Amino acid sequence: MSKNTVTLTDNRNGNSYELPILDGTKGPSVIDISTLYKDSGLFTFDRGYTSTAMCRSAITFIDGEKGELMHRGYSIEWLAENKRYLELVYLLFYKKLPTKEEISIFKQDLKERSYINEKMINLFDALPDKSHPMAVLQAAVAIMSAYYKRDMNIDDPADYMELAKRLVAKIPTIIAFYYRHSRGFPKVYPDLDRGFTENFLYMLRAFPHNKVDLKPIEVKAFDAVLMLHADHEQNASTTTVRTVGSTHSHPYACISAGIGALWGHAHGGANESVIRQLEMIGTPDRVDEFIKRAKDKNDPFRLMGFGHRVYKNFDPRAKVLRKLRDQLIDEIGIDTNLIKVASRIEEIALNDEYFISRKLYPNVDFNSGLILKALGIPNDMFASMFVMGRVPGWLSQWMELKSQDMIKIVRPRQLYIGPKDADDEANRDPHIG
C-alpha cells in the first residue's frame, strides 16, 4: 500500500477506498477525494468548506496557528515594512517584485486608466439618494462590461492584464466620485501628478481652488490598509470570484459578485461593525461593563474586532496596523473617546486570561476601522476601502484560474434532508387531488 494515500473504510459493508495524498510547498497536505463518489457512491460533508481545498494556488499562504501571512513567498510583515501597495499589486499580478523601472511604468499605466467614462456618472443619478456605497460600487463594476467589453478578449492573457489594470485604476475614482456625489460636492478628477494612494485621499478632500494638506503619515497609513487587505487566500469573497469565474462569466461580473460577498458584516463590513460598537460603548469608563458582558456565555453581546476564523494566533496584519495607528494618532494629534475606548479594550483583552486562553487577539478589523476613521473616511465607506485594497487579490486569483488547462465549473453537492417520495404518498392519499 502506498504511503501517500489514506484508506477510507465503510464500516457498513467493509469496503475500503484508497485516496491519494497531495503535498503543497507549505501547509497541510490534502486528501484528493475527486473520485470518491464515483468509486464509493459517497459524498463528503464539510459545512462552510473549513476542511476543503477548492483549488491549487501559488498566490497567498496563511498559517493560522503560527500567525503567518505570505504573498508569493514574501511575509506580509516584510512587505509592509519595505514595499508599498502598488509594488504588492505588481507582485500579485506578475509573480515577482518590480524593478524601479517596472514599477514606474506600472504606476503610469494606472494613472492613464484612472478616468472613467463620463456616461457612467449618470448611474449615480439613477440610484436613490443615500444608496449604500457598496451597492453603487457593485452596480458600477458590473456595468463596466457595457463600456469596456468590446475591445477585449478575456481568453487572451495580455487583454485580461489590461482589464486588471483598468479595474485597479478606476475603482478608486468610482468610489471617490460617488462619495462626492452623495454629499453634493463637485467632482474632483484624478490628479496625474500624485501617487495612487495620495490621489484617492486628494479626490475625497479637494475643492476647487483650495490646497489639500495631506500629511505623509496619512498616505502611509492608508497605503498600509490597502496592502494588508490585498489578498487573503480562499476567503468567502475570493471563493465567490473563483466560483463565478468557473462559469466563464465576464470578469467584471466576477469582481462584482466578489463585492457582493464582501459587503457582509461578517466579512468586509467587520471594521464598520467595530467602529459602531466603539461608538455605542461611548466612553472608557463603560469598557469594563462590556468586557463583563463579552465573557458572560448567557449574554448575546460579542466583542467585535477580536479573534479570527483562520488565525489562532495574533493576526500579523493587526500588528502592522497597531504601530501605524499609534503613529498616525501621534502625528496628526487625534485624541478622541473612540481611541480611548479602543485602547482600554485592547489593554484589558491582551492581559485577561479569558481572552488569552481563547486566543482572542485583536484582528485586522479592530485597527483598520480606527485608521480609516482617523483619516476622516465615513463608516459606510469602510467596506468600499476594503474592496479597493482587495481587487488586485481577486484579479490575481481570477487570472490564476484562467491559466489552468481546464476550468471545471464549481458545483458542490449536498446532504438532502427534505421529504422522501412525496408524490408516492400523494398517490396513495385519496384526500389529495
Side-chain angles (χ1 to χ4, degrees):
M1 183 180 295
S2 170
K3 291 182 179 179
N4 296 323
T5 61
V6 164
T7 302
L8 175 69
T9 300
D10 187 340
N11 292 323
R12 299 171 303 176
N13 53 31
N15 292 338
S16 293
Y17 309 96
E18 202 166 293
L19 304 170
I21 296 175
L22 307 179
D23 299 316
T25 52
K26 286 177 73 73
S29 300
V30 302
I31 303 169
D32 183 355
I33 60 169
S34 304
T35 63
L36 180 62
Y37 175 62
K38 175 185 171 184
D39 296 340
S40 68
L42 297 169
F43 297 146
T44 58
F45 184 78
D46 182 17
R47 195 189 303 272
Y49 307 133
T50 57
S51 297
T52 298
M54 60 90 69
C55 65
R56 299 172 187 261
S57 183
I59 300 170
T60 297
F61 173 77
I62 297 171
D63 187 322
E65 297 298 327
K66 295 180 181 177
E68 290 182 353
L69 169 61
M70 305 179 77
H71 298 308
R72 300 208 185 273
Y74 295 93
S75 74
I76 192 61
E77 293 94 336
W78 185 87
L79 289 166
E81 183 69 28
N82 296 283
K83 300 297 175 182
R84 299 296 295 270
Y85 173 65
L86 287 187
E87 292 174 289
L88 173 55
V89 175
Y90 191 99
L91 173 67
L92 294 175
F93 285 179
Y94 293 101
K95 307 178 185 179
K96 72 181 193 72
L97 286 170
T99 64
K100 289 183 179 180
E101 181 181 1
E102 287 168 339
I103 194 62
S104 178
I105 293 170
F106 187 63
K107 289 176 180 178
Q108 186 60 34
D109 285 346
L110 295 182
K111 287 180 179 182
E112 292 172 359
R113 291 161 178 78
S114 60
Y115 286 79
I116 63 172
N117 189 304
E118 287 285 304
K119 293 179 181 178
M120 286 186 65
I121 298 170
N122 296 328
L123 173 68
F124 303 152
D125 291 320
L127 294 170
D129 292 342
K130 305 301 181 185
S131 296
H132 195 285
M134 287 291 278
V136 177
L137 184 56
Q138 186 174 16
V141 170
I143 208 169
M144 282 177 71
S145 63
Y147 288 94
Y148 300 104
K149 182 179 179 179
R150 293 188 301 274
D151 61 347
M152 70 168 294
N153 174 6
I154 62 172
D155 294 316
D156 183 336
D159 275 13
Y160 56 66
M161 188 62 77
E162 165 64 27
L163 174 139
K165 292 178 186 176
R166 183 183 292 152
L167 272 166
V168 170
K170 294 185 189 305
I171 279 180
T173 306
I174 292 170
I175 295 170
F177 274 20
Y178 180 67
Y179 165 78
R180 302 187 69 89
H181 174 87
S182 67
R183 285 154 177 79
F185 298 160
K187 292 190 299 294
V188 172
Y189 287 90
D191 182 345
L192 301 188
D193 291 329
R194 296 178 185 269
F196 182 87
T197 308
E198 178 191 1
N199 182 63
F200 177 74
L201 294 175
Y202 162 79
M203 286 193 291
L204 292 189
R205 298 184 187 180
F207 282 90
H209 314 297
N210 189 33
K211 182 181 178 182
V212 177
D213 181 24
L214 281 170
K215 294 180 174 59
I217 185 57
E218 294 181 284
V219 177
K220 180 180 178 181
F222 187 58
D223 195 85
V225 169
L226 297 179
M227 175 180 278
L228 296 172
H229 286 89
D231 194 56
H232 208 239
E233 212 195 68
Q234 305 309 313
N235 53 76
S237 55
T238 300
T239 300
T240 299
V241 170
R242 278 186 174 262
T243 299
V244 178
S246 77
T247 70
H248 298 277
S249 182
H250 196 280
Y252 290 116
C254 299
I255 301 303
S256 180
I259 293 171
L262 192 75
W263 191 353
H265 68 83
H267 193 6
N271 54 8
E272 181 179 347
S273 298
V274 169
I275 293 299
R276 295 197 187 284
Q277 187 174 91
L278 294 176
E279 291 171 338
M280 183 265 294
I281 294 172
T283 56
D285 61 336
R286 298 188 66 203
V287 168
D288 287 357
E289 167 194 344
F290 286 93
I291 291 289
K292 182 179 179 181
R293 288 185 60 187
K295 293 160 71 172
D296 183 353
K297 65 180 180 181
N298 297 316
D299 192 321
F301 176 80
R302 186 167 67 92
L303 200 59
M304 304 299 293
F306 285 81
H308 193 277
R309 173 78 172 268
V310 174
Y311 296 111
K312 305 308 174 189
N313 201 317
F314 217 103
D315 183 339
R317 301 169 300 170
K319 292 180 180 179
V320 175
L321 287 183
R322 169 62 192 272
K323 181 180 177 182
L324 278 169
R325 184 198 82 184
D326 292 344
Q327 189 178 354
L328 182 66
I329 291 166
D330 288 342
E331 293 195 26
I332 64 177
I334 295 175
D335 182 22
T336 66
N337 268 333
L338 207 64
I339 298 296
K340 291 175 182 175
V341 170
S343 297
R344 176 63 180 153
I345 292 173
E346 195 169 35
E347 178 188 1
I348 293 174
L350 291 176
N351 294 281
D352 189 301
E353 181 58 29
Y354 176 88
F355 293 94
I356 295 171
S357 64
R358 290 165 175 77
K359 299 182 179 180
L360 297 176
Y361 301 105
N363 60 37
V364 68
D365 301 310
F366 187 75
N367 282 312
S368 64
L370 289 166
I371 288 175
L372 294 175
K373 193 77 174 176
L375 293 172
I377 295 171
N379 294 3
D380 65 356
M381 287 185 62
F382 285 4
S384 301
M385 302 302 98
F386 198 151
V387 171
M388 185 173 159
R390 180 56 55 88
V391 161
W394 288 339
L395 287 164
S396 61
Q397 298 275 349
W398 179 82
M399 288 189 282
E400 184 176 69
L401 173 73
K402 291 289 290 181
S403 70
Q404 295 175 184
D405 293 335
M406 180 190 73
I407 300 177
K408 192 167 186 177
I409 188 169
V410 174
R411 206 314 188 171
R413 307 308 291 256
Q414 66 174 23
L415 176 65
Y416 177 70
I417 57 171
K420 180 181 179 182
D421 301 326
D423 52 347
D424 291 341
E425 294 292 333
N427 290 333
R428 289 193 292 269
D429 190 338
H431 301 290
I432 298 178

